[in-house]
Amino acid sequence: MTALTISRHGGTAVLTLDLPGEPVNKLNAAVKADFETALAELRGDAMVRALVIISGKPDTFIAGADIEEFTRLSTQEEFTRLSREGQEMLQRLDDFPKPVVCAIHGACLGGGFELALACDWRIATDHPKTQLGLPEVQLGLLPGAGGCQRLPLLIGLSAALGIIMPGKTESGSKAFRLGMVDELVPKSILLDTALKAADRLAGLVGAELQLRPLPARPPKTGLMGAIFDRTRPGRRFVYWKARKDTLAKTGGHYPAPLAALEAVRAGLEQGGPAGYAVEHRLFGELAATDVSRKLIGIFFATTALKKDDGLPPGVTAKPRAIERLGVIGSGFMGAGIAGTAVSSAGVDVRLKDTELSRIGKGLKAATDILSGRLKRRRITRFEFERLAALLSGGTDSASFARADLVIEAVFEDLEVKRAVLAETEAVTRPETIFATNTSTIPIAEIAAQASRPDRVLGMHFFSPVDRMPLLEIIPTGKTSPETIATAVHFGRRMGKTVIVVRDHPGFWVNRILMPYLNEAGYALAEGVPMEVLDRVMTRFGFPVGPVTLLDEVGLDVGAKAAGVMHAAFGDRLKPSPLIGRMLEDKRFGRKNGRGFYLYPKGKKAGPDETVYDLLGVRPLAPADTTIIEQRLVYSMLNEAAMAADEGVVRSPRDGDVGAIFGIGYPPFRGGPLRYIDDLGAAKVVEVLRDLERRHGSRFTPAPSLVGRAEQTVRFYP
Ligand code: 3HC
């Protein structure tokens, strides 16, 4: 055996899994073979009365089936077999004639949690690194090693669907409350507790073991829960509702959650064998879909980004430690950066603004981010108090003297930003990094008069900062490698997926978003109803449509960015006159309750029909919306191809991850550059030429795209 070692503790055999040469444990062919060998050896060993399974890795129990192995399989039959063999192996563990205790610290996900479910007793640590769950649907799959069968039996149908269908993971304490684990302990006593549980269970035999003592706190489903989960009509309602809610969320683009529902249903309604058969059949079907391949591609892309220091090939630099952060500007962005930095990176944050009343509001907003985490039980009351104490504020820059990094999030005005930079450089240490959070102004212009330009770069956060996963980092030609590596590293500590992009107007995300939003403006000004535009794009797979997005971002903010982009790129990015008219009418979007949509009591309602009067058009839904979809999507594809070929992103991977995490580009399409490859550059050029004939030169295909079409060159070789 290479991954499993067996040690004896009295009558208990402890199986320690530590996959050599890998950062995490995963269930690959070798590990499965080791488990089979160990079980065969221990089954007949009279000296062994119980087993404990534990991990030798510092922070993972088992991260699931080996996703890399999936990339080596191609047919539905191969995947079905993989799932069936996984089920069979875990069934042998489940049937093992001696009690098996699972001692869980760190990530216990997918197949790893399915293995835990096949054990007789589960003990998890209360450590923040401990996460348990079934994230398979996030990869376009379903739990294919018995998870759809065992979890509902353990914690009840509704609670199980709440984990399986969205592909959720839970902390140790939540898992304990839900009944997913039987005991919750501090890491230091995990093994001792497991050995005691093994001893206790070893005293039970045969049927007694099957009827083992109930978990200390059985799942609380209440009377309604019992009615829904334990009666046939109740369960029928649960299935119907789960299906309806999922379709509303996914728009039918993701088959995995519904397939998982079918596997759960088959098991509960037709019995175990039928459930397992449906589970491995559907696992095979899902794994062979393009959607799953795309989602797995995104998993590997984001994993690779976690290790990328953002430096050009051949350049290396060590990131500096960031312990003290200064944030200038206590508005929505500044407060969001401060709150996220404290809650995710645990650094000392000093918030600066010109007036104390504004600082008070900013500190409150930053603390609200911590309160949200406390409410969702992501942190304890003690951690909340400790982290909240790290937040302070003032009007004085002198307090930045000890800051390692200062991020400014002041008004989008070049002179103001330059002044803030000069003022900061005057009071900070030579090694302090200055980052500007701008979405439109070139960083090199802000840094033009800097006395330490090697320490200046852009950190473009997205709003709301605590929820948006992406961070664009923008070095100038003078930014030092150490500064880049430090900002990338710190962005990651803030929980962000970081891409390093070129200092070019709009950077990456706003660059590709702008033509898309402009096109929505043109279509609206022609009388295409706003809800039709939104529906067409949510049907394509975006989480919200472009008109709703404009209302959310704010029309004033959008107009400013559109102006900068128009100036930089000329008529291709000329905004439609619509936004100007909306602003004249003081329509700023959701923030002042006056936008394209109505916001009675702050909640979005239907379209505001008076917008059409303002634009002087009569709304008329087109009979065929294909061309609308093409106009919006292809304007983005064209710009993405152009920007990628200008080197705005360092790789197609960064471009696609940026589009997915920055603007919600549909993950199942893999990102705009992947989508161009799938369609074929020639097809994209053909559609763009057609749109150019109908709607003008803003659709002229990018020369580089035409070149790709002629030479059949892909973004992903
Ligand atoms: N298979 C293969 N490789 C995996 C893996 C898995 N299940 N989980 C993690 N890895 C690899 C990563 O690719 C990365 O490899 P690299 O160093 O060579 O690039 C390495 O492990 C470290 O991963 P991270 O950088 O992501 O480390 P973190 O500490 O940030 O996160 C984690 C660890 C929480 C375990 C995260 O990696 C994760 O979420 N993994 C995926 C979990 C998952 O989706 N499991 C379900 C798999 S499908 C399944 O089990 C099917 C079954 O039902 C039959």
Side-chain angles (χ1 to χ4, degrees), residues 53 93-94 100-102 114-122 212:
I53 300 176
L93 181 64
D94 201 340
V100 184
V101 174
C102 197
E114 290 174 297
L115 179 139
L117 285 171
C119 296
D120 298 292
W121 196 258
R122 285 161 290 280
R212 67 198 170 82

Side-chain angles (χ1 to χ4, degrees), residues 367 370-372 374 379-389:
T367 314
L370 286 175
S371 309
L374 176 67
I379 50 173
T380 61
R381 166 66 53 186
F382 171 76
E383 281 169 310
F384 171 83
E385 301 294 351
R386 185 182 71 80
L387 293 172

Side-chain angles (χ1 to χ4, degrees), residues 127-314:
H127 194 274
K129 291 271 183 191
T130 297
Q131 291 287 322
L132 302 102
L134 297 168
E136 284 88 339
V137 301
Q138 309 266 6
L139 300 171
L141 303 168
L142 55 68
C148 296
Q149 311 308 314
R150 290 194 179 91
L151 190 60
L153 296 178
L154 183 71
I155 65 171
L157 171 64
S158 305
L161 290 181
I163 303 278
I164 295 172
M165 290 184 72
K168 230 172 157 187
T169 59
E170 301 288 6
S171 64
S173 62
K174 179 81 186 284
F176 177 57
R177 279 199 304 281
L178 286 170
M180 292 160 70
V181 295
D182 304 297
E183 287 182 72
L184 187 69
V185 296
K187 187 184 171 200
S188 56
I189 58 164
L190 179 63
L191 181 59
D192 284 346
T193 314
L195 289 171
K196 280 211 179 77
D199 261 354
R200 203 170 61 239
L201 293 173
L204 310 171
V205 282
E208 273 178 8
L209 183 57
Q210 296 302 313
L211 299 171
R212 67 198 170 82
L214 283 173
R217 295 169 65 186
K220 290 191 196 106
T221 50
L223 179 64
M224 288 314 280
I227 292 173
F228 282 125
D229 282 9
R230 295 193 202 143
T231 66
R232 200 174 272 266
R235 287 199 298 275
R236 215 176 292 142
F237 174 78
V238 174
Y239 301 135
W240 170 81
K241 175 123 185 20
R243 188 182 164 78
K244 183 171 151 273
D245 292 351
T246 301
L247 279 174
K249 258 194 226 131
T250 63
H253 291 302
Y254 298 88
L258 296 182
L261 178 67
E262 208 180 317
V264 169
R265 184 177 190 153
L268 285 181
E269 307 307 325
Q270 297 161 42
Y276 283 100
V278 172
E279 185 179 289
H280 63 237
R281 175 175 59 79
L282 291 177
F283 183 90
E285 281 180 21
L286 290 172
T289 58
D290 190 48
V291 172
S292 176
R293 283 179 215 282
K294 292 274 159 50
L295 297 179
I296 286 176
I298 295 165
F299 168 76
F300 284 122
T302 46
T303 304
L305 267 170
K306 285 188 207 168
K307 286 199 290 265
D308 191 334
D309 55 14
L311 297 174

